[in-house]
Amino acid sequence: MASATEALLKVDDLRKDFGGVKALDGVTFSLAEGELAGLIGPNGSGKTTAFNLLTGVLKPTAGTIRFRGEPVGGNPPERNAALGMARTFQNIRLFRELPVLDNVMVGVHMRHGPGFVPTIFRLPSARRSERAIRERALATLEILGLEKRTNDVVGNLPYGDQRKVEFARALASEPSLLLLDEPTAGMNPQETADLGETIRRLHHELAITTLLVEHDMKMVMGLCQRIIVFNQGRLLAEGTPEETQRNPKVIEAYLGRRRKSADAAA
């Protein structure tokens, strides 16, 4: 686990109750600056709940979340986005009737919009800001190899490219923490491999601290530097991919069940 002095994100004794159900029960972990970590666990283990708490979609029942040392638990999502958190969702949330470029410009607007008054009165500062936002969005699309899709309507794109557009929108907000919630959901093996390489390349080039929730074990173990394992709302284990794959508790709670299912299917 990253030390407190190195931690970009620090979660301590985090709890979330839904009525009598403990979705998260005393979870503690941290992320170091520049780290690429994976969060895994069986369905219902609390992974997406954790993402929703970190980004402000949900408020914690108890516990603390600190981002760059600042308490952020219970902040509204827009506040955490302004602080430098960005996320993608398991179910794609794009403006399907708008072009790719407009979707990505939304991400830039979150951090660098000209403001209400300059926009309403069409002040020169607003026009300059819009040009800069457009340039930033175009640059992000080029990084992801989507420059030829700039004017395409998002709803007409192949599913894999729609995932990349959502990824581009998150990157365009210039985050210091990127939270990817099952980014390869619904992708075929080739699309999954391509996106995995894209995440690896961008992490290497941009050094953005990244937390990845993903069910594709081959991708997670081959991509992430550290694995955090949840089970039944609690932290079960954490360590390198090699340590995680050898951990008997992880094998029993998650990896082992998948293997047994595969053997039974065969």
Side-chain angles (χ1 to χ4, degrees):
M1 181 182 295
S3 70
T5 56
E6 298 172 329
L8 175 71
L9 177 75
K10 185 169 178 57
V11 175
D12 187 39
D13 197 24
L14 190 62
R15 301 171 186 269
K16 181 61 182 177
D17 299 341
F18 295 100
V21 177
K22 294 183 180 296
L24 283 183
D25 187 12
V27 168
T28 296
F29 68 91
S30 61
L31 293 176
E33 188 94 41
E35 189 173 15
L36 172 55
L39 175 57
I40 68 171
N43 288 333
S45 61
K47 305 182 299 296
T48 296
T49 297
F51 265 36
N52 287 337
L53 291 168
L54 295 177
T55 54
V57 175
L58 296 173
K59 294 184 178 182
T61 302
T64 60
I65 304 169
R66 292 183 177 273
F67 182 60
R68 294 197 182 281
E70 178 180 337
V72 298
N75 277 357
E78 61 271 17
R79 171 61 181 160
N80 286 346
L83 289 172
M85 292 189 194
R87 73 170 291 180
T88 63
F89 291 85
Q90 183 176 348
N91 299 314
I92 294 175
R93 299 189 182 184
L94 295 169
F95 300 104
R96 293 177 54 82
E97 304 303 320
L98 293 180
V100 167
L101 180 60
D102 289 3
N103 273 271
V104 179
M105 286 176 66
V106 168
V108 190
H109 264 284
M110 283 197 304
R111 295 292 295 277
H112 302 294
F116 178 75
V117 172
T119 300
I120 288 297
F121 291 100
R122 302 183 64 81
L123 299 180
S125 61
R127 293 194 292 273
R128 288 194 298 270
S129 179
E130 286 297 319
R131 285 196 296 270
I133 287 170
R134 180 182 177 87
E135 289 171 3
R136 170 67 186 174
L138 288 169
T140 305
L141 288 171
E142 186 172 356
I143 289 171
L144 284 164
L146 292 170
E147 63 274 15
K148 294 181 179 179
R149 297 290 197 181
T150 299
N151 297 314
D152 292 352
V153 174
V154 163
N156 295 335
L157 296 182
Y159 188 82
D161 282 349
Q162 290 186 37
R163 280 285 179 191
K164 286 186 178 181
V165 172
E166 188 176 42
F167 194 7
R169 185 173 64 183
L171 281 179
S173 67
E174 301 179 57
S176 49
L177 174 61
L178 183 60
L179 301 158
L180 303 177
D181 190 359
E182 298 196 31
T184 67
M187 286 187 170
N188 63 42
Q190 185 58 54
E191 290 171 334
T192 295
D194 288 346
L195 187 59
E197 284 306 309
T198 297
I199 294 170
R200 188 196 308 276
R201 175 174 59 85
L202 293 178
H203 179 260
H204 177 74
E205 294 175 358
L206 304 178
I208 299 173
T209 306
T210 304
L211 181 61
L212 169 73
V213 167
E214 182 56 60
H215 281 298
D216 189 308
M217 288 296 100
K218 181 179 179 181
M219 175 183 172
V220 171
M221 297 300 174
L223 185 64
C224 297
Q225 301 160 333
R226 184 164 62 96
I227 308 296
I228 301 166
V229 188
F230 282 6
N231 188 40
Q232 297 180 347
R234 297 181 178 181
L235 179 68
L236 180 67
E238 61 179 314
T240 66
E242 294 77 15
E243 291 168 342
T244 302
Q245 292 178 84
R246 293 196 303 264
N247 188 312
K249 293 181 180 179
V250 177
I251 293 170
E252 174 61 27
Y254 189 53
L255 299 176
R257 289 182 184 178
R258 290 178 64 86
R259 288 172 182 158
K260 289 175 184 176
S261 297
D263 291 343

